[in-house]
Amino acid sequence: MDTTLIRNDFPILHQNVNGKPLVYLDNTATTQKPQVVIDRISDYYETINSNAHRGTHTLGRIATEKLESARTTVQKFINAKEQHEIIFTKGTTEGINLVAQTFAQQFLNEGDSVLISAMEHHANIVPWQQMCKQKKANLLVIPVLETGDLDLSNIDELFSKNVKMLAVTHISNVLGTINPIELLIEKAHAKNIPVLIDAAQSVAHETIDVQKMDCDFLVFSAHKMYAPMGIGVLYGKSEWLNKLPPYQFGGEMISEVRFEESTFNELPYKFETGTPNVDGILAIETAIQYMQKIGLKQIADYEHKLLTYATEKLNEIDDIIFHGTAKNKIAVLSFNLKDVHHSDVGVILDQLGIAVRTGDHCAQPLMRILGISGTVRASFAFYNTKEEIDVFIEGVKTAKKMLQ
Ligand code: PLP
């Protein structure tokens, strides 16, 4: 991989922040966009912009064709069986809300349970928690070990508690842990329990094959895979999507409307209410093609090298406390400096042009389990370099000197 060439594709990386060259290490929060993705969006507005699936004029037809072709690209990218199993959403959060609300409406009853894990993002906790409250169901939690691995010692007992849905993250946005989802899906399916996978953190780092995984639902956000914000994907097996009621009502999702009664459209449109984010959808296609050109395997291998290098270097600093040391993890490093508040480290790094995330990372329950209020989190993408990691390490050393 030629990182110099790759970095040239990302205009945002070539700037000074606070007088220093930007070192962007907040890729878990959102990734930067290559020029081809930016161009795809402007090209759409310069040459195509029209509402898709409406009317017969030429530009409208082109917008529709391009949108549906992008859907096929996404389908192939995650190896879904059918094109209509790809639903465009606003992002991971909306995808989970869609499934939680429609599934609960149809299938969750008093005394049932929904099983999640202790390392979920709030987006995969609160929607289920609220549905459980409404339906007088229980929210059960797979515990987490100090290493950042899931504690599966009591998993069979948990599954025996009238579980109606397992909703679990593929990769933790705090700990970087890659969870053994194939094993969990197998165990859930042995009891006829459907599984939703939160792939927000895996889609840009791991090859996703929904048929091999055999998950029933999978959600992700485009902005975490080099595409824009406000657009994402819900994958669902046809048989499940067909069983769920519509999520929102209005244009596009209907078949026929009378004042007395309406009938609903077929998949995927039943779940795509209103004007779609066509430019965002086209940009996802371009981002996928961009990642595929580099190679998902090459990306994963390179990012893993960065993780190993950064972990070794950070380990050389006294008083570093790592959070998340699972063997199987992606390039996310969460840590604290002994007796130092995480946000103070973040402020000093920012002054040095280094962008990291500090705080609870939308995982307050996990923070409580770890007994901390937050962490400093550095997360790497394929455009990051060893030289940037050296700058980051020097930044942490400076913060330590100033704050301890
Ligand atoms: N799930 C995980 C694991 C995440 O990391 C995030 C965002 O950080 C989300 C869900 C929510 O994603 P979005 O805000 O794009 O909907």
Side-chain angles (χ1 to χ4, degrees):
M1 260 178 56
D2 188 336
T3 342
T4 312
L5 275 182
I6 285 172
R7 287 179 72 80
N8 285 341
D9 293 338
F10 291 82
I12 200 170
L13 298 177
H14 307 280
Q15 62 174 306
N16 284 355
V17 169
N18 295 321
K20 307 275 184 195
L22 169 65
V23 174
Y24 185 79
L25 302 179
D26 194 16
N27 295 287
T28 298
T30 198
T31 52
Q32 299 304 348
K33 321 304 170 200
Q35 189 64 53
V36 279
V37 166
I38 300 167
D39 289 347
R40 186 86 198 260
I41 298 166
S42 39
D43 178 64
Y44 170 75
Y45 284 111
E46 282 165 13
T47 62
I48 302 172
N49 180 43
S50 281
N51 214 323
H53 300 126
R54 289 155 173 82
T56 51
H57 68 75
T58 302
L59 292 187
R61 191 168 37 74
I62 294 173
T64 306
E65 280 166 12
K66 300 263 182 208
L67 186 159
E68 292 308 328
S69 146
R71 198 189 302 275
T72 307
T73 303
V74 175
Q75 177 205 347
K76 290 189 179 144
F77 178 57
I78 61 169
N79 195 28
K81 202 162 145 198
E82 314 271 3
Q83 201 229 24
H84 62 244
E85 293 178 322
I86 304 299
I87 313 287
F88 289 113
T89 63
K90 276 196 306 193
T92 307
T93 305
E94 191 181 50
I96 297 170
N97 272 281
L98 187 160
V99 178
Q101 291 183 33
T102 57
F103 182 86
Q105 189 183 327
Q106 201 81 351
F107 296 107
L108 202 62
N109 294 305
E110 189 170 344
D112 288 342
S113 307
V114 172
L115 182 59
I116 60 168
S117 91
M119 62 171 80
E120 298 308 315
H121 187 283
H122 295 160
N124 201 30
I125 301 174
V126 189
W128 298 110
Q129 174 195 65
Q130 294 304 306
M131 288 305 105
C132 285
K133 270 185 195 248
Q134 255 186 40
K135 295 285 179 167
K136 297 195 173 70
N138 308 301
L139 188 68
L140 305 178
V141 182
I142 307 170
V144 67
L145 299 164
E146 224 173 289
T147 53
D149 290 295
L150 287 179
D151 177 358
L152 299 180
S153 54
N154 283 331
I155 192 69
D156 292 327
E157 196 190 323
L158 282 168
F159 271 129
S160 70
K161 292 186 172 171
N162 218 10
V163 175
K164 289 290 171 342
M165 169 68 82
L166 167 67
V168 71
T169 194
H170 189 180
I171 295 180
S172 162
N173 63 311
V174 180
L175 310 163
T177 315
I178 306 174
N179 286 320
I181 48 167
E182 289 83 0
L183 173 79
L184 288 169
I185 292 169
E186 207 181 299
K187 279 188 177 291
H189 284 178
K191 289 190 166 288
N192 287 325
I193 300 164
V195 183
L196 175 140
I197 298 296
D198 175 349
Q201 293 303 338
S202 49
V203 69
H205 306 286
E206 292 282 303
T207 304
I208 306 262
D209 182 333
V210 288
Q211 289 191 73
K212 191 157 159 251
M213 233 185 234
D214 200 25
C215 56
D216 301 279
F217 303 98
L218 181 134
V219 287
F220 58 90
S221 302
H223 72 95
K224 293 185 195 286
M225 48 172 283
Y226 313 101
M229 294 179 171
I231 184 75
V233 171
L234 159 67
Y235 157 81
K237 281 183 184 164
S238 296
E239 59 259 42
W240 270 111
L241 292 176
N242 277 320
K243 276 191 253 183
L244 298 180
Y247 173 54
Q248 291 179 332
F249 301 90
E252 191 69 15
M253 56 75 66
I254 47 79
S255 173
E256 192 181 307
V257 177
R258 295 171 188 277
F259 284 121
E260 304 74 27
E261 195 53 71
S262 300
T263 53
F264 305 126
N265 208 339
E266 57 192 16
L267 293 176
Y269 313 111
K270 170 179 149 188
F271 291 110
E272 292 182 349
T273 313
T275 296
N277 179 352
V278 184
D279 57 304
I281 293 168
L282 303 195
I284 295 186
E285 175 173 60
T286 304
I288 289 173
Q289 289 161 345
Y290 181 81
M291 284 194 292
Q292 285 173 333
K293 210 168 116 202
I294 298 172
L296 266 288
K297 170 89 174 72
Q298 280 78 357
I299 289 174
D301 288 349
Y302 177 76
E303 289 176 353
H304 203 263
K305 276 187 198 142
L306 291 182
L307 173 70
T308 307
Y309 182 70
T311 309
E312 275 169 19
K313 288 279 166 192
L314 210 50
N315 222 352
E316 287 167 8
I317 302 173
D318 288 339
D319 298 336
I320 288 274
I321 305 155
F322 286 102
H323 303 287
T325 52
K327 279 207 178 76
N328 203 11
K329 66 177 283 185
I330 61 158
V332 172
L333 270 179
S334 264
F335 64 95
N336 272 301
L337 276 169
K338 194 168 164 238
D339 300 329
V340 174
H341 197 275
H342 47 86
S343 52
D344 293 339
V345 179
V347 169
I348 290 174
L349 292 179
D350 179 48
Q351 288 310 307
L352 299 169
I354 305 161
V356 294
R357 170 90 185 266
T358 60
D360 62 34
H361 314 296
C362 296
Q364 289 177 9
L366 176 62
M367 293 299 124
R368 274 187 211 104
I369 291 167
L370 297 174
I372 52 178
S373 61
T375 77
V376 182
R377 183 186 68 190
S379 50
F380 309 107
F382 56 75
Y383 43 63
N384 290 126
T385 63
K386 270 188 165 182
E387 291 71 32
E388 286 185 310
I389 290 173
D390 292 337
V391 174
F392 161 64
I393 297 293
E394 285 312 307
V396 176
K397 285 182 185 166
T398 305
K400 181 173 151 67
K401 256 189 230 145
M402 290 172 75
L403 297 168
Q404 254 188 346

